[in-house]
Amino acid sequence: MGKATDRPGGTAPAAARWGRQAAGLVPGAATAVAGLLLTLVAGLVALPVAAWPRGRRAVLRPFGTAAVKVARLDVRRLAHFHGVRLTGAPGAADDGRALRYVAARWPLGLLGGVVLGCLAVGAGYGTFVLYGWAITDVRHLWAVLLSSLAGLLLLFLAVQGVHGVTASEERAARRFLGPSHQDELERRIAQLATSRADVMDAVHDERRRIERDLHDGVQQRLVALGMLIGRARRHRDPERAGELLLQAHEETRHALAELREVAWRVYPAVLDEAGLRAALESVVERGPLPVALIYEVPVPLPRQVETVVYFVVSEAVTNVVKHAGATRVDVRVALDGRVLTVAVRDDGGGGADPRGSGLTGLASRVAALDGRFALDSPPGGPTVVTAELPCG
């Protein structure tokens, strides 16, 4: 009922990520210039009252407000271009931290502008060999070759410089604007306590669901099987007894099929035997709807990540079949750096309730691995279930 597609996963995402980082250095240089001017003016104004703490704070207060605005712009820039997510933008009470951040970051921002300039110069000289021979005397072709080699070297260094400046900016933002070590520990403890409670609730819900499936499905089949065999034993007519035994045989097949279905939902053996891709392909093949699977994971994943991914896809597809009224499901599993993204999209009517037991259980499974779970289901559709899991 569905199909799986394999795509190469390494070069294109890395190039796109580098392109975003390079583009992010442009507004970074602009905020660095603003930070430099703000730092110089604040230093000149505060210098006469440097020995008077109360006066110094009063003088620096408007500069701190301006620094908060610059820092907020920089936080949004880091999130958009570099994928650096801080716990929150600096508030009005963080004007001192924001001013220190702006004063410490402007050299990095200007360095990013210099790296971009070197990138442009290196690209220009590196390609000079393609057209330099047409505008240069033949006797000076050696100069064209040397210029191109020097340009390629500068281009290589500038490409590495983009990564270096980006990493340094991330460290500076986390150092000056991120939560303190104690705040981070407290947040982490609270998160672990919540995720542990959610996982326990999800386990109990799963047990109740398995018990309900066994009671309403397999157990009823076995009761009917026992009744059919009992009637066949008591019946005096051999032909009628044979018919009852034939019905009992059919009931046995149905009971075995339902038992395999329950066992599959508990944990699929193919996940251990053949890996995540094969397990997801089995979900695609067993579904009553057309399911398109795009699998872009070129390396093996940790076993606990594979288990969560399987249950996210399986439960999401099952919910679509039961409740969405959809005609098609698209599943995409992609690894970008150290983050695995799982997206399940359907063309149903939308309006899914994120507080439903199935989706709540999936969110708990994802949170147990420090992942992020999201549901986008506007009325009228489409519905997209997304999970991001760290893999490193």
Side-chain angles (χ1 to χ4, degrees):
M1 296 299 295
K3 61 180 181 179
T5 304
D6 226 349
R7 296 182 180 177
T11 305
R17 186 166 61 252
W18 180 88
R20 290 196 303 269
Q21 292 176 351
L25 295 183
V26 177
T31 56
V33 172
L36 173 60
L37 295 177
L38 185 63
T39 303
L40 290 176
V41 175
L44 292 175
V45 172
L47 186 62
V49 292
W52 185 29
R54 183 174 300 176
R56 185 173 67 248
R57 286 194 295 271
V59 168
L60 290 179
R61 187 171 295 115
F63 295 100
T65 304
V68 167
K69 296 180 180 179
V70 175
R72 286 176 177 172
L73 289 175
D74 219 48
V75 167
R76 288 197 290 268
R77 176 185 68 88
L78 291 173
H80 180 72
F81 290 102
H82 304 322
V84 178
R85 296 182 176 90
L86 301 178
T87 53
D94 301 323
D95 53 353
R97 295 170 60 196
L99 190 58
R100 288 192 293 272
Y101 169 73
V102 168
R105 198 204 73 86
W106 68 260
L108 284 176
L110 296 183
L111 179 60
V114 172
V115 168
L116 288 180
C118 293
L119 193 66
V121 173
Y125 276 100
T127 57
F128 188 55
V129 70
L130 300 178
Y131 57 87
W133 58 272
I135 59 176
T136 305
D137 191 272
V138 177
R139 294 171 297 177
H140 299 100
L141 287 180
W142 60 271
V144 174
L145 294 175
L146 289 178
S147 298
S148 295
L149 289 176
L152 291 175
L153 177 61
L154 182 61
L155 183 63
F156 173 77
L157 295 176
V159 168
Q160 301 304 314
V162 170
H163 292 297
V165 172
T166 300
S168 299
E169 286 192 330
E170 178 182 352
R171 287 193 293 268
R174 295 190 185 281
R175 167 66 178 82
F176 289 97
L177 300 180
S180 65
H181 183 63
Q182 181 177 353
D183 293 339
E184 188 66 23
L185 288 178
E186 292 177 354
R187 183 193 66 82
R188 180 62 175 157
I189 291 172
Q191 182 184 21
L192 289 176
T194 302
S195 63
R196 183 183 64 178
D198 290 341
V199 167
M200 293 301 296
D201 291 339
V203 169
H204 290 317
D205 290 340
E206 190 72 16
R207 287 175 176 172
R208 284 193 292 268
R209 185 169 71 88
I210 294 171
E211 180 184 5
R212 185 170 60 250
D213 291 343
L214 291 174
H215 180 272
D216 297 339
V218 179
Q219 181 175 321
Q220 298 300 323
R221 295 281 185 186
L222 294 178
V223 170
L225 175 62
M227 293 176 63
L228 287 171
I229 294 175
R231 290 174 60 190
R233 291 181 60 190
R234 292 191 301 269
H235 216 287
R236 297 182 180 274
D237 185 1
E239 184 177 349
R240 178 56 180 164
E243 292 177 359
L244 292 173
L245 288 176
L246 183 60
Q247 293 181 26
H249 181 261
E250 283 296 317
E251 201 68 31
T252 304
R253 291 176 54 193
H254 292 308
L256 288 175
E258 290 195 10
L259 188 59
R260 280 195 298 267
E261 187 71 21
V262 173
W264 185 275
R265 288 199 296 267
V266 173
Y267 190 84
V270 68
L271 191 60
D272 286 333
E273 297 170 356
L276 176 61
R277 180 181 173 84
L280 295 181
E281 287 176 347
S282 67
V283 174
V284 170
E285 294 168 358
R286 293 166 63 247
L289 293 178
V291 181
L293 172 64
I294 298 176
Y295 191 82
E296 300 174 328
V297 183
V299 297
L301 298 173
R303 180 49 52 87
Q304 63 269 25
V305 173
E306 290 187 342
T307 303
V308 171
V309 170
Y310 169 79
F311 279 106
V312 167
V313 174
S314 178
E315 186 68 25
V317 172
T318 301
N319 286 341
V320 171
V321 173
K322 289 182 177 179
H323 309 296
T327 60
R328 177 182 174 83
V329 183
D330 295 309
V331 178
R332 182 173 183 266
V333 181
L335 182 64
D336 185 5
R338 296 184 177 181
V339 177
L340 182 74
T341 302
V342 183
V344 181
R345 184 182 187 275
D346 69 78
D347 60 354
D353 185 5
R355 296 167 297 181
S357 59
L359 293 176
T360 302
L362 292 184
S364 301
R365 287 180 181 270
V366 173
L369 295 184
D370 291 336
R372 299 196 308 162
F373 182 84
L375 172 67
D376 182 18
S377 183
T383 297
V384 182
V385 174
T386 307
E388 295 181 357
L389 296 165
C391 297

